[in-house]
Amino acid sequence: MKIRRLFVANRGEIAVRILRTAKRLGIETVLGASDIDLDSVPARLADRCVRLGPSAAAKSYLDVAAVVGAARSAGADALHPGYGFLSENPALPRACELAGITFVGPTAATLDAVGDKLAARRHAAGAGLPIVPGGEATSIDEAQAIARGTGWPILIKAVGGGGGRGLRRVDRAADLQSQLELAIAEANAAFADSRVYVERFVPQGRHVEVQILGDGQEVVHLGTRDCSVQRRYQKLIEEAPAPLLPNGMASRLMNDAVALGRQLQFKGAGTVEFLVDGARGEYYFLEVNARIQVEHPVTEMVTDVDLVAEQLAVAAGVRLRDAHAQFAIRGHAIECRINAEDVSREFRPSPGRIVRAVFPAGPGIRIDTHVQAGSVIPPFYDSLLAKIVVHAENRAAAVDRMSDALARCKIDGIAVNTALHSQIVSDPEFRRGGVDTGFLGRLALAVAG
Amino acid sequence: MLDHEDIERILTLLDATPLQEFELETDRFKITLRRTSAGQWTQQQDILRAGTAAAVTPGSDPSAAHAASDAGKEPVAAAGAGREIHAPLVGTFYRSPRPGAPPFVEMGSEVRPDTAVAIVETMKLMTSIYAGHAGRIGEILIEDGQFVEQDQVLMRVVADAQ
């Protein structure tokens, strides 16, 4: 089939990103927008804009019936969910199928399999991937038995969680019972699934992931990304390829990601996340993200592949071209997430009206954004304003290019985190490369002190 | 709209000229490229509103949808008795720690300055609201799930009558 009219069921920079590729491919676009987004940049860019509902996400971007109803009324033949919101909710592809609309993403069965973190662990183990020692804990006795095997500290994780949500660290046996009870109650409230599992806590870990692309049968990878610069499990800076991995580890990660993708009969773009234990020289499977990632541009810059175009092609039934050919990785790319937050006030969110938005331009610089002078940043959604992406022949040159680019980024009217990014990219530990997920916390403490 | 490859091509041409600023405008967008004193470039893009207004799905009523958020913006009625608890920032006001859970406080609940009385969600971040005063909750002005402005009065605390 050929996609003629694409419904974009998202907002912000990823909506702009999807519209850009659709326009390039000559596909007509319809954007579903909440009330506050009806005059946003993506609403202005789309060929048509359809109201989804009130500004609160639960009544618009998270409402399956509203989204699919709007797509159907607009006569769309395909729907792109972006990331976040409903992108990994299996109810969306199921509703699309009933409405006769092609879902640009994995099958509902795949979303079921990777959304349940215990099922994902089983699939990963079945495909031969190393998983963090641990297992499901339905009782305090089970949890104690697992902890005896893994040693302390441990992490209690919600089966329905993911993306850094639903985690609880326990340092000693005396705290296990109370923490387990809290974790079960929280999991039930947050994810409507009270199941939890216990894993060994891996300190000093690096977050490394592999981009995969599948057509339901064949699966290929597009190299690694490092996303270790995080605050409270939220990524701030990403790069491709992951620097300074132990010898041979990158190719093992990529082969493992492809093996898991094949086991899942993965269709579309996805990411297999790993925790790299630098101290032990080991790595473990973390989770699968069955959607386009925020940080996909760094992979696009080093491979010259348009991942959204690949998603649309696979959804339209096109088989992966020459699946065994490896994508060449060229140079190094870094992405900084510019967020509406006040770093000096404990990262307090900073919604409001942007009065000026000046971004850097030049060779090897790409800006993915949905903001311009006059844009209103509503308090209802996430704080991502723009992604500054740079590409250069090697990592050192990319870090320098980012440092220069950040200095030319001026966003006025609300608080943004540009200065923090400048500080990170000039930090000697970051410049050496291969920082762990504790890096940003240590840096922030040093700045505060 | 121009993507980064279009802009790179334009900059390659501009670099061969002494131009410091370049502006391009169509009926859909406007872009300004400026050279800094160090010879590097900045960009400002402006996606213009299309001639055709946004299509709205039949049967929907945007004005009704706005009612909830507008209600929160109305000035608070004449100050009642008691000390006010304000919203520290804009966002959605919740009386319970999570959906289905009992509210932090009810009318008449005894509070101390450090008692959590509500949360305000802004950009997916939850900010706890504390009573700030000792006494009892004398008034709850905002309904659960409503949008609140920064500094809006959420509740009032009355001193214990002793």
Side-chain angles (χ1 to χ4, degrees), chain A residues 27 33 49 56 68 70 73 97 113 142 144 196 300 324 330 344 362 391 436 446:
Chain A
I27 298 171
C49 178
V68 177
S73 75
E97 190 174 2
E142 269 182 7
Q144 271 163 349
V196 298
E300 294 186 324
H324 297 288
R330 193 177 57 83
S344 66
H391 182 219
D436 63 69

Side-chain angles (χ1 to χ4, degrees), chain A residues 207-286:
Chain A
H207 178 119
V208 178
E209 59 188 31
V210 177
Q211 176 71 52
I212 61 169
L213 197 57
D215 62 12
Q217 293 173 38
E218 201 43 71
V219 175
V220 295
H221 73 78
L222 288 88
T224 57
R225 290 190 288 257
D226 191 310
C227 315
S228 301
V229 179
Q230 306 183 350
R231 180 179 176 273
R232 296 190 176 165
Y233 298 103
Q234 299 305 309
K235 301 166 184 172
L236 201 61
I237 295 182
E238 302 96 344
E239 50 189 296
L244 302 178
L245 289 174
N247 246 347
M249 189 183 281
S251 57
R252 276 153 62 208
L253 293 172
M254 295 185 286
N255 290 339
D256 276 358
V258 169
L260 178 54
R262 289 198 177 124
Q263 160 117 351
L264 292 166
Q265 296 181 297
F266 200 87
K267 188 177 173 192
T271 298
V272 183
E273 297 189 340
F274 295 95
L275 183 61
V276 172
D277 184 340
R280 292 172 193 246
E282 293 167 354
Y283 66 87
Y284 305 103
F285 164 77
L286 267 185

